[in-house]
Amino acid sequence: MLCADAMPALILSLVDAATHWPARGALIGLDLGTKTIGVAASDPDRRLATGVETIQRKAFKQDAARLLTIAAERKATGFVLGLPINMDGSEGPRAQSTRAFARNLAGLTTLPIGLWDERLSTAAVERELIGMDVSRAKRAEVIDEHAAIFILQGALDRLANLRSASGTD
């Protein structure tokens, strides 16, 4: 939670946020839907994203409280939010809604928030689940959590590539 004198969390691009995260520590990945929030977490070495749960959205304060509890349980050092950018690179209403959610969450935590381009993540996960012959009903139950895994794993892979390119890994 945020102390009275603490600054709110920074909201940055993934690459910029990474400079504010310690070298080790879990990251929490989020896929924000209108009705649910898919949640994934990384291991402390940030190599693998795994699903945590799908939160049924209620009120922001309740949703945020659950996310902060998950972050505390996993000793997370930051959040990665999927930013739904349009195919032409512009930001529409969903991206604006994600940025608003990030601003509100930042007011409740000091953990830096990284925004990661999530174009086509849900479509990619949907294709994967169809390929695995997962029923439509089951896909609906797991799609947001799997999208959060996809988003977070993409971010982890990008961070790993940056580390190896700079010779720090």
Side-chain angles (χ1 to χ4, degrees), residues 32 81-84 93-103 115 118:
L32 299 175
L81 268 69
L83 185 63
R94 286 192 58 231
Q96 293 167 359
S97 175
T98 297
R99 286 188 183 278
F101 185 93
R103 283 191 302 275
L115 300 175
E118 68 145 289

Side-chain angles (χ1 to χ4, degrees), residues 60-152:
F60 171 76
K61 291 230 184 228
Q62 285 177 274
D63 300 344
R66 180 66 191 133
L67 293 172
L68 294 173
T69 297
I70 292 168
E73 289 169 354
R74 294 179 178 269
K75 298 177 177 59
T77 57
F79 289 96
V80 174
L81 268 69
L83 185 63
I85 296 173
N86 294 326
M87 291 309 292
D88 65 3
S90 65
E91 291 190 14
R94 286 192 58 231
Q96 293 167 359
S97 175
T98 297
R99 286 188 183 278
F101 185 93
R103 283 191 302 275
N104 291 335
L105 182 61
L108 300 175
T109 184
T110 57
L111 298 178
I113 299 169
L115 300 175
W116 176 243
D117 181 350
E118 68 145 289
R119 271 180 271 199
L120 301 178
S121 61
T122 301
V125 169
E126 181 89 14
R127 279 193 310 275
E128 184 179 315
L129 292 171
I130 289 170
M132 294 167 45
D133 205 26
V134 176
S135 72
R136 184 183 304 263
K138 184 66 176 168
R139 284 195 314 266
E141 287 176 25
V142 301
I143 191 82
D144 294 313
E145 184 178 324
H146 282 252
I149 295 167
F150 186 90
I151 289 163
L152 184 55

